[in-house]
Amino acid sequence: MTKLFIFSFVLIAVSSFFLPSVNSTAHSMAPNANVPQPQSPSEPTAGELERLKQEEARLSSMLASIRQQKLSVLRSRTLTVGIIGFGRFGQFIGEKFTKYGNVIGTSRSDYTKLANEMGAKYVPLSDLESFVMEDELDVIVVAVSIVSFEDTVKDLVPHLKKRIATKGAGSCPLIVDVLSVKEHARKIFLERLPEECDILCTHPMFGPDSAKHGWHGQTFVYERTRIDKVLLDPSAHNSAWKNHSEDSDESESEFLDEKGVSHGIHENSEAHVEGMDRIERFLSIWEEEGCNMISMSCKDHDAFTANSQFITHLMGRILGVQGLKATPIDTKGFQNVLKLIETTNADSFDLFYGLYKFNRNSMEIIDNLRSAMDDVVRKLLEKEGNNISSVDMKKSCL
């Protein structure tokens, strides 16, 4: 009985609270001249623009200050970067690196004079052991062609193992690639390199020709792959950790404390902190030069570049075979076609072949291009009122 009385009392109280607002709905819907109406978001108050400009200036000043602090930190502890493959691209990046630290180049050809001119040191590839055993070596960038990449890494491994055995596990440099295909590079690194080596997979999507006036605005794609013997999970934008074996249970890389808070197994590891710091310092070089920094998994990178970089090179090669030449009455569109042919054919055929062979998405792009070509030709012939067999189509198209 008591419970029923309490329930009835609560029901009456709630009803008395809501009913007046319901009954006064019609009055509340009418505008009240005595009550100031709120302004629409599309109608900013007077002085709002000035306030926003002041806030913009304050934030710009703060950002400039932070950038100066970051640059100061970067230069306070310079990196020594070794570049294997000191050809045109290796020299291109090496010259920029000398602004931020020490550079050591090695290659089959003798670039001693050129290295000295840019303030770098040069070691012949025939003496790869001396190159790897350099005391202060922090980073090794493998800047060779796609087709010679695996053999280069194989040759590198014994010297890395000797360095680790001689100087300790923490002495292994960060290993970086700059290939245009990422899954291939990632796979070779993980299969071949000692587990003590941290790995950073990168693709500067520009080169000596496209960035001859500077790196500002150029795209730089990267995946932090392994730090302190632990793989980072690229599917979580590098925020989750995976054990060295990608097939292992991800839960093994985390644990809960007595309060139920999740922790990474390496979060308090000095090696992990040092490894992260080294990666960030290396990435900061590209960032300071104005690159558009994009963190992306190697798998996603290859899917995207097949539909952009590979098809661009493919079309440039196909059109180049036709021997197209400039004419006195070229349109802007045709001039762009000739520029495409020039830029894509300026690269070695080994690069083009590597984009095809080592990107699993490339054959699908070729098949799609064939299908599209057939479809366009078929529509042209149908417009003429002609019927064409599939056999003839295969003869007439790609």
Side-chain angles (χ1 to χ4, degrees):
M1 184 67 178
T2 303
K3 291 182 180 180
L4 179 61
F5 172 78
I6 294 173
F7 175 77
S8 301
F9 177 78
V10 171
L11 182 61
I12 293 170
V14 171
S15 299
S16 65
F17 178 80
F18 281 104
L19 281 175
S21 62
V22 173
N23 293 335
S24 62
T25 300
H27 298 287
S28 64
M29 290 178 66
N32 189 336
N34 298 324
V35 179
Q37 299 298 313
Q39 291 189 338
S40 167
S42 61
E43 299 177 2
T45 59
E48 180 70 6
L49 183 58
E50 182 181 1
R51 186 191 68 79
L52 290 174
K53 285 184 176 181
Q54 291 174 351
E55 180 67 8
E56 182 181 36
R58 185 185 69 82
L59 293 175
S60 296
S61 176
M62 183 183 298
L63 179 61
S65 175
I66 292 174
R67 286 183 62 84
Q68 286 298 318
Q69 293 177 44
K70 188 173 68 173
L71 189 58
S72 176
V73 170
L74 177 62
R75 290 175 173 169
S76 68
R77 184 180 172 187
T78 57
L79 292 175
T80 296
V81 182
I83 302 174
I84 300 179
F86 208 61
R88 190 164 180 245
F89 187 81
Q91 296 164 23
F92 171 67
I93 61 175
E95 188 173 13
K96 291 289 187 184
F97 290 169
T98 58
K99 293 170 57 178
Y100 301 93
N102 304 310
V103 174
I104 307 170
T106 185
S107 202
R108 287 193 298 266
S109 301
D110 186 5
Y111 293 112
T112 304
K113 182 180 178 182
L114 195 148
N116 290 336
E117 289 174 354
M118 69 171 66
K121 180 180 178 179
Y122 188 78
V123 177
L125 189 61
S126 57
D127 194 12
L128 186 57
E129 181 175 319
S130 296
F131 170 86
V132 176
M133 295 299 287
E134 285 280 342
D135 287 338
E136 303 301 323
L137 189 62
D138 298 299
V139 181
I140 293 178
V141 179
V142 183
V144 299
S145 69
I146 300 174
V147 292
S148 59
F149 181 77
E150 184 171 8
D151 287 339
T152 302
V153 174
K154 285 181 183 177
D155 293 339
L156 178 63
V157 167
H159 304 298
L160 289 173
K161 289 181 176 178
K162 181 176 181 180
R163 180 184 178 97
I164 294 168
T166 304
K167 301 177 181 291
S171 69
C172 188
L174 167 68
I175 312 297
V176 182
D177 88 287
V178 288
L179 291 190
S180 299
V181 288
K182 298 270 53 77
E183 286 192 288
H184 172 65
R186 186 178 193 271
K187 178 175 179 289
I188 297 302
F189 273 171
L190 291 175
E191 287 180 351
R192 300 286 182 182
L193 293 177
E195 63 175 3
E196 291 85 357
C197 296
D198 293 347
I199 298 171
L200 178 68
C201 294
T202 79
H203 181 194
M205 301 194 68
F206 54 93
D209 294 320
S210 58
K212 59 185 176 183
H213 300 301
W215 296 4
H216 187 80
Q218 301 287 350
T219 299
F220 182 85
V221 182
Y222 63 95
E223 178 197 281
R224 299 180 185 90
T225 302
R226 185 171 70 191
I227 300 176
D228 190 23
K229 302 181 182 180
V230 177
L231 294 181
L232 277 72
D233 181 4
S235 65
H237 299 285
N238 299 345
S239 62
W241 296 97
K242 296 180 72 176
N243 283 338
H244 183 64
S245 170
E246 291 191 307
D247 296 326
S248 62
D249 185 358
E250 289 187 27
S251 63
E252 294 177 12
S253 63
E254 297 181 348
F255 66 91
L256 297 178
D257 63 16
E258 64 277 4
K259 296 181 180 180
V261 178
S262 178
H263 297 273
I265 58 174
H266 286 248
E267 67 180 31
N268 293 319
S269 164
E270 183 177 346
H272 165 70
V273 174
E274 289 288 334
M276 282 295 293
D277 181 73
R278 182 170 53 182
I279 284 180
E280 293 308 316
R281 286 176 181 276
F282 180 77
L283 291 175
S284 291
I285 295 174
W286 305 85
E287 188 176 2
E288 287 301 319
E289 286 298 314
C291 290
N292 176 29
M293 309 294 288
I294 298 180
S295 175
M296 179 181 293
S297 72
C298 292
K299 181 179 180 181
D300 287 346
H301 167 278
D302 283 5
F304 284 128
T305 55
N307 280 291
S308 58
Q309 186 183 32
F310 175 69
I311 197 169
T312 299
H313 279 260
L314 178 62
M315 292 306 301
R317 292 284 174 175
I318 291 172
L319 294 171
V321 170
Q322 296 188 43
L324 300 178
K325 303 290 183 182
T327 74
I329 55 172
D330 288 349
T331 63
K332 290 292 184 182
F334 185 68
Q335 289 174 3
N336 289 335
V337 169
L338 293 178
K339 188 174 182 180
L340 171 66
I341 294 172
E342 180 185 359
T343 54
T344 53
N345 285 268
D347 291 320
S348 68
F349 194 83
D350 277 352
L351 171 63
F352 178 55
Y353 174 70
L355 294 175
Y356 161 75
K357 181 174 176 60
F358 298 109
N359 189 331
R360 59 179 173 177
N361 305 286
S362 58
M363 197 63 219
E364 181 183 354
I365 298 300
I366 293 174
D367 290 339
N368 289 343
L369 182 61
R370 284 178 174 147
S371 177
M373 182 72 173
D374 288 346
D375 186 53
V376 171
V377 173
R378 184 181 294 107
K379 288 179 179 178
L380 289 173
L381 295 174
E382 288 174 353
K383 195 74 174 176
E384 291 286 312
N386 296 331
N387 293 321
I388 186 168
S389 68
S390 59
V391 175
D392 291 334
M393 284 292 294
K394 290 180 180 179
K395 290 179 181 179
S396 63
C397 299
L398 292 172

